Amino acid sequence: MFTYQIILIIISILGILLGIHRFRDESFSNSVFTLWTFVWIIIIIVTLFPNITTYFANFFGLGRGLDSVYIVSILFLFYIVFKLYNKMEQQKKRINELVSQLTLKENEE
């Protein structure tokens, strides 16, 4: 086993343990916990069996297995950015509503 494989497995296990800790503290919802656990397990599987990426690359018509890892990683990052953007917009809307309510309350007094 190569050094990078050991490091990735340790990081993935720590990620799963941190996810469990956050889930118990109710910092993570069930869906977020499931998503991150799934991601860490996929990383462990790909680390232990790197030839899986070559299979997926051939299936999707890509040249190398590493190319499929890059593409999936970029798509996952775009998904995360999209989710974060939506959360920010929701927070912005909530803050605007709260400020409006506070202003109305102050004007009544």
Side-chain angles (χ1 to χ4, degrees), residues 75-107:
L75 290 175
F76 181 72
L77 290 173
F78 276 132
Y79 172 76
I80 296 296
V81 168
F82 178 73
K83 293 289 283 182
L84 286 172
Y85 179 78
N86 284 336
K87 286 284 185 185
M88 283 183 1
E89 288 298 319
Q90 288 174 356
Q91 290 292 68
K92 185 177 166 183
K93 185 177 178 181
R94 285 179 167 171
I95 289 170
N96 286 338
E97 289 174 4
L98 182 61
V99 167
S100 297
Q101 289 174 0
L102 287 173
T103 303
L104 290 173
K105 188 175 182 179
E106 285 179 2
N107 288 337

Side-chain angles (χ1 to χ4, degrees), residues 1-100:
M1 191 175 286
F2 295 107
T3 305
Y4 81 91
Q5 289 175 308
I6 295 169
I7 292 170
L8 282 174
I9 290 171
I10 291 171
I11 290 171
S12 297
I13 291 170
L14 290 174
I16 291 171
L17 293 174
L18 181 63
I20 291 169
H21 177 69
R22 296 254 171 126
F23 180 69
R24 287 184 180 163
D25 289 347
E26 298 179 3
S27 299
F28 277 176
S29 66
N30 193 21
S31 59
V32 171
F33 171 69
T34 304
L35 172 71
W36 282 110
T37 303
F38 179 73
V39 167
W40 291 120
I41 289 172
I42 293 296
I43 291 172
I44 289 172
I45 291 170
V46 169
T47 302
L48 291 174
F49 308 104
N51 291 333
I52 291 174
T53 60
T54 305
Y55 169 76
F56 283 111
N58 291 335
F59 181 75
F60 289 110
L62 300 170
R64 301 175 297 163
L66 192 56
D67 294 341
S68 64
V69 171
Y70 288 149
I71 290 171
V72 169
S73 298
I74 290 169
L75 290 175
F76 181 72
L77 290 173
F78 276 132
Y79 172 76
I80 296 296
V81 168
F82 178 73
K83 293 289 283 182
L84 286 172
Y85 179 78
N86 284 336
K87 286 284 185 185
M88 283 183 1
E89 288 298 319
Q90 288 174 356
Q91 290 292 68
K92 185 177 166 183
K93 185 177 178 181
R94 285 179 167 171
I95 289 170
N96 286 338
E97 289 174 4
L98 182 61
V99 167
S100 297

